[in-house]
Amino acid sequence: MSGEWLRRWRRGGPAERPGGAPAPGPGPPPPALRYRRPKFVPGGGEEAPRGGRAVRGAAPERPLPWGAGYAEVINAEKSEFNEDQAACCQISVRRREPGLEEDEEWLILCSTQFLTGHYWALFDGHGGPDAAIIASNYLHYCIKQKLEEVVGGITEAQPPMHLSGRCVCDSDPQFVEEKHIHAADLVVGALENAFQECDEVIGQEMEATNQTGGCTALAALYFQGKLYVANAGDSRAILVLKDSIVPMSSEFTPESERQRIQHLAFLFPKLLDGEFTRFEFPRRLKGDDVGHKVLYRDYFMEGWGYKTVEKADLKYPLVHGHGKQARLLGTLAVSRGLGDHQLKVIDTNIEVKPFLSCIPKVNVFDFSVHDIKEDDVLIMATDGLWDVLCNDEVAHVVRSFLAENRTDPQRFSELAKCLVCRARGKKRGHQWMLDDSHEASYDDISVFVIPLHNREED
């Protein structure tokens, strides 16, 4: 699918599916997206006053799916806007007959006559809010479409080799079984394809409007009794259960994906344009290191070795820095995300995008094999929360808060606000500090609290 649908939708034209009415002729480029907050946040078209970093939540009169809670706060003047975005909705997936054109509008998300899923997502923008806004508007449409493309296989006990049901080889079912292909694998594939398509649309849209920037993406989909969490970036999701914490995502940073990034540079050295070295060293090498053996790592190494330093090793490392200071090509702090198609290393023609993957890692949680309790929740948050609170600290806040507020009908919304307030801290002079006097988060912070016990079944 091209980005034409999105461009027409933004201009207020008919939301027809690509392949329907002919595309409009050449004209002036569409205007840049208007900045806004999530649609379910009161006053979503405006930003909250920055000075006190007021915490904002979802409107009580517009409950989110499953009665989920949401809260956010803007950064401490790191950028002009809150570059986080959020989205949630119900997604209805319709069976399609092969070869037949649909004669009804395809953007129906709330029909109850087909397979129903529930979706929540967070997007953490960088280089501006535009990529995150586009992703929040569009990723769920991509997911819906990709699920509809495989729905015939999802509804079968075992996905057929041919979606049409045709059997070319009598052993086709055996081959599928030997590969251990299940319906859940088709949902995972649909999510991966949806992220890929959304990334392409963002690239087209940003180029058309002469915008730059990108975003991370963390999406949760409940579908057919399973929870799928897809992550591309450094946001995080955890399940806080009565007696355990279940991580549902992993952060993707230049350090965590060093080997993938180095391997790409090994396969395609021209991507570095002679400006970077793919090798990792404990520190930036100096001229006095030439000719000596120093610690290093290459793409095939988990451990360390020694290599004799050559003059070429003095170039800037492909992955450099440690922890939150680690950077890809000296530019980005994440190694997966959407957008950034126009991003180049400063003062060079080196494109960052080839090293920045848009493909998420998808984790699956099967509700049928777990006994979900009343206070079990999924916590989704951008890195503004996790920079200052670990999983155990978040879980402690969750369990304590819910135990003390059992009768409050808005307790999941209030819990989301509580977590945001905890990470934001309090302003003392010119600084934001946690209760333990450590530095609080200066970043944008967005949090979903999704209760699991009273979930709506498909």
Side-chain angles (χ1 to χ4, degrees), residues 67 323 357 374 442:
S357 173
E374 182 180 1
Y442 282 65

Side-chain angles (χ1 to χ4, degrees), residues 291-434:
H292 298 278
K293 288 190 173 183
V294 302
L295 287 164
Y296 88 109
R297 286 200 294 191
D298 203 353
Y299 72 91
F300 54 86
M301 301 170 66
E302 287 280 357
W304 291 81
Y306 284 94
K307 80 178 294 288
T308 301
V309 177
E310 304 172 13
K311 189 174 181 180
D313 297 326
L314 302 183
K315 296 173 184 176
Y316 200 86
L318 175 59
V319 175
H320 184 62
H322 177 70
K324 296 296 291 186
Q325 305 306 315
R327 293 293 183 271
L328 169 61
L329 293 166
T331 303
L332 279 182
V334 293
S335 56
R336 297 199 191 192
L338 307 176
D340 288 310
H341 296 76
Q342 291 80 32
L343 182 62
K344 294 185 178 181
V345 178
I346 189 170
D347 295 330
T348 75
N349 285 319
I350 299 174
E351 296 180 342
V352 175
K353 188 62 177 179
F355 298 95
L356 181 68
S357 173
C358 66
I359 306 304
K361 173 71 171 64
V362 183
N363 289 321
V364 185
F365 183 84
D366 189 348
F367 282 89
S368 68
V369 296
H370 292 87
D371 181 18
I372 300 300
K373 304 298 183 182
E374 182 180 1
D375 289 346
D376 292 347
V377 296
L378 174 69
I379 303 294
M380 301 173 63
T382 53
D383 65 327
L385 180 83
W386 308 110
D387 284 348
V388 296
L389 296 177
C390 68
N391 290 358
D392 288 336
E393 290 171 317
V394 168
H396 176 73
V397 173
V398 167
R399 291 169 178 148
S400 299
F401 186 94
L402 293 179
E404 296 169 2
N405 296 271
R406 293 195 180 278
T407 61
D408 184 353
Q410 299 297 322
R411 64 190 190 130
F412 299 110
S413 295
E414 294 303 315
L415 173 55
K417 293 177 183 178
C418 176
L419 288 169
V420 171
C421 286
R422 182 69 65 95
R424 179 205 61 182
K426 298 177 181 178
K427 194 169 188 180
R428 300 176 186 171
H430 298 290
Q431 294 181 302
W432 289 89
M433 306 298 293
L434 301 176

Side-chain angles (χ1 to χ4, degrees), residues 148-167:
E148 288 188 341
E149 290 177 0
V150 298
V151 68
I154 292 174
T155 54
E156 296 292 329
Q158 182 185 75
M161 179 78 173
H162 283 258
L163 188 58
S164 65
R166 181 185 181 192
C167 190

